[in-house]
Amino acid sequence: MNVNYVPIRGNKTGFEFLDQRKLPLEEIYLPGNTLDDAFVAIKDMVVRGAPLIGFTAIAGLILDLNSKQYKNLDEFKQTCEYMKTARPTAVNLMYEIDMSYKAIAAHVIEKGTWEGTADLLMQKLIDSMKKLESDNMTMAKLAEKRLEAIYGDKKLNLMTLCNTGFLACGPMGTALGVISHMNAIGKVNHVYASETRPYMQGIRLTSWELMKENIKHEIVVEGAASHLMKSGKVDAVFIGADRIVSNGDTANKVGSSGLSIISNHYGVPFFVVAPFSSFDMSLDSGNQIEIEMRPEDEILFCKGVRLAPEGARAFNPSFDVTDHKLVTSIFCEKGEVHPVNRENMKTILGE
Ligand code: MRU
C-alpha cells in the first residue's frame, strides 16, 4: 500500500516529502521516517496547505504505529494531541488526527490488538486522498455553475492568493483546482497569482503549478489588487481556507481579508473553496480562531540575506479572518453556501 502524489509519497515504512521551501529552484524530497520527521515537516513548512498538513499528520501516525508497541489508547491519544500542536490554524490537522484516533480506538477495542493498526491508517490515508480528488472536482463544478450564472460564456480573468493547488492538497486543488478546471473547459482568459508574502506561496508555488498546466498567468504583488480591480481586470477571486467557522468567517493566508474588502469595494465576486475537513462548526465566530504567529525572520530576511535594518523587528501573523459578509459563496463537496450566513452554513454542512 502506497501513496504517490507530488508533495507526499511512500508507505508505512517511510515517506518522502517534497521540500516546498526549496521550490521552484530545487525539487528535493526529504525523508520522513518517524513521527517527529512528519511533525517537523509540518512545523517548518516543508509541507504546507491545510489538507496536506492533515495528510502528513496521518503519515506521521502511521510511521509511529508501525515502529512502536503502544500499551494502551491513552498513550496513543497523547501522541495524537502532540501531533496537533505542529501548527494551530488549519483545522484539517485536528480533523484528520481525530478521525485517525477514532479509527484506531475502534479497531483496538473491537479486536483487542494493535496488530494491523498501521495498515488500517495507511488505507485511510489512501482513501482520504482519493476522496479529496473527487471532492475537489465536485467543488470546481459548483463554482463553474455559479460563474456561469454570473458571467455566462465569458472567458474569465481570475485571481488567487497563496497556493491551494496539488502542492497544498496532494490531489488536484481547492481554489486553484477551480482555476485549473475552468481552464480545462476553456473558460479562463487570464490568471493573476498574488505573490503571498512572506513565504511567497504565490510566486514560488502557484506559478510553478500554473506553468506545469500551461495556464496563462501573471504574478502580482499583494499591493496591486486594488489597481487590478479598479481597472476591471478581475472577474472573480478564489481563495482556499484553513478554518471556516459556523457563521462562515474564514481563516486563510494573511492578506485574504484585505483582498475580500477590496473585492467587495469594486463589486468583484469573492469565493472560498474548501473541503469539509476545513470546517470547524464548534466555533461561533472567526474571532475565536487561533492565528498562527510565524518567526519574524521570515520577513526580515530573504534567502538568508537581511533586508531590514539591524535591530528592526517584524510582526508576522500567518493568517487572517475574512468576514463571512464579504464572501460571495463557499464551495464545499457538500454543496454551495450562498449567501454565506449561519443558517445556510447549517443547511449545507449540518450540525
Ligand atoms: O501557511 P500555508 O502555506 O500552509 O497556508 C496555506 C493557505 O493559507 C491555503 O490557502 C489553505 O491552507 C488552503 S490549501 C488548499
Side-chain angles (χ1 to χ4, degrees), residues 135-145 172 177-178 181:
D135 288 347
N136 279 341
M137 186 48 88
T138 304
M139 295 179 233
K141 288 189 172 158
L142 287 170
E144 177 195 342
K145 256 197 190 162
M172 205 178 150
V178 171
H181 169 70

Side-chain angles (χ1 to χ4, degrees), residues 18-306:
L18 179 60
D19 190 347
Q20 299 195 25
R21 299 168 304 181
K22 298 275 186 341
L23 287 175
L25 301 180
E26 291 172 275
E27 293 179 31
I28 295 172
Y29 281 85
L30 295 183
N33 295 320
T34 64
L35 177 101
D36 271 313
D37 288 348
F39 184 93
V40 171
I42 296 170
K43 195 174 178 51
D44 290 352
M45 292 176 69
V46 169
V47 298
R48 29 71 46 207
L52 187 67
I53 291 173
F55 295 144
T56 305
I58 302 178
L61 296 177
I62 292 169
L63 292 164
D64 205 46
L65 286 166
N66 193 50
S67 62
K68 182 169 162 189
Q69 225 21 72
Y70 274 99
K71 291 192 205 69
N72 54 54
L73 281 169
D74 282 349
E75 210 185 320
F76 183 59
K77 181 95 187 152
Q78 272 178 30
T79 301
C80 289
E81 293 307 315
Y82 162 71
M83 199 61 174
K84 283 183 188 174
T85 63
R87 287 188 80 186
T89 306
V91 74
N92 309 61
L93 177 65
M94 294 63 183
Y95 176 88
E96 296 298 355
I97 293 172
D98 284 342
M99 289 295 136
S100 299
Y101 177 79
K102 262 193 197 160
I104 296 302
H107 174 97
V108 171
I109 290 166
E110 194 200 323
K111 303 243 159 60
T113 175
W114 287 83
E115 196 78 20
T117 48
D119 288 327
L120 187 149
L121 266 202
M122 192 63 212
Q123 189 61 57
K124 178 191 155 25
L125 179 61
I126 291 167
D127 294 346
S128 303
M129 293 190 84
K130 260 200 200 132
K131 181 172 182 309
L132 183 61
E133 186 156 17
S134 70
D135 288 347
N136 279 341
M137 186 48 88
T138 304
M139 295 179 233
K141 288 189 172 158
L142 287 170
E144 177 195 342
K145 256 197 190 162
R146 172 61 57 190
L147 288 171
E148 203 175 88
I150 304 172
Y151 290 111
D153 264 354
K154 184 182 175 203
K155 277 189 155 208
L156 300 169
N157 300 316
L158 304 175
M159 184 167 184
T160 191
L161 174 81
C162 197
N163 171 266
T164 58
F166 60 79
L167 286 171
C169 292
M172 205 178 150
T174 57
L176 203 56
V178 171
I179 291 174
S180 166
H181 169 70
M182 292 300 288
N183 182 67
I185 59 172
K187 298 242 177 100
V188 171
N189 180 55
H190 199 74
V191 175
Y192 294 104
S194 198
E195 63 171 351
T196 321
R197 287 188 55 80
Y199 186 87
M200 304 296 195
Q201 288 93 332
I203 191 170
R204 298 188 304 103
L205 310 178
T206 297
S207 181
W208 187 73
E209 288 197 31
L210 291 169
M211 293 298 290
K212 281 200 183 297
E213 291 193 38
N214 266 321
I215 300 179
K216 202 166 117 277
H217 69 283
E218 285 168 306
I219 298 156
V220 290
V221 298
E222 246 92 294
S226 176
H227 171 73
L228 286 175
M229 292 191 202
K230 188 174 165 59
S231 41
K233 287 188 186 307
V234 180
D235 295 313
V237 177
F238 283 90
I239 64 158
D242 287 81
R243 192 181 293 235
I244 305 171
V245 302
S246 57
N247 67 350
D249 286 354
T250 296
N252 190 54
K253 183 50 55 195
V254 67
S256 299
S257 166
L259 196 54
S260 74
I261 292 167
I262 298 168
S263 302
N264 275 260
H265 182 77
Y266 290 113
V268 174
F270 186 91
F271 298 110
V272 173
V273 190
F276 182 66
S277 52
S278 303
F279 289 76
D280 181 352
M281 298 298 277
S282 74
L283 299 184
D284 277 342
S285 114
N287 298 335
Q288 296 165 289
I289 301 173
E290 181 179 345
I291 299 294
E292 177 182 11
M293 296 302 299
R294 302 283 308 170
E296 59 182 328
D297 284 1
E298 286 181 357
I299 293 178
L300 299 172
F301 289 79
C302 181
K303 295 223 159 286
V305 178
R306 190 172 176 104

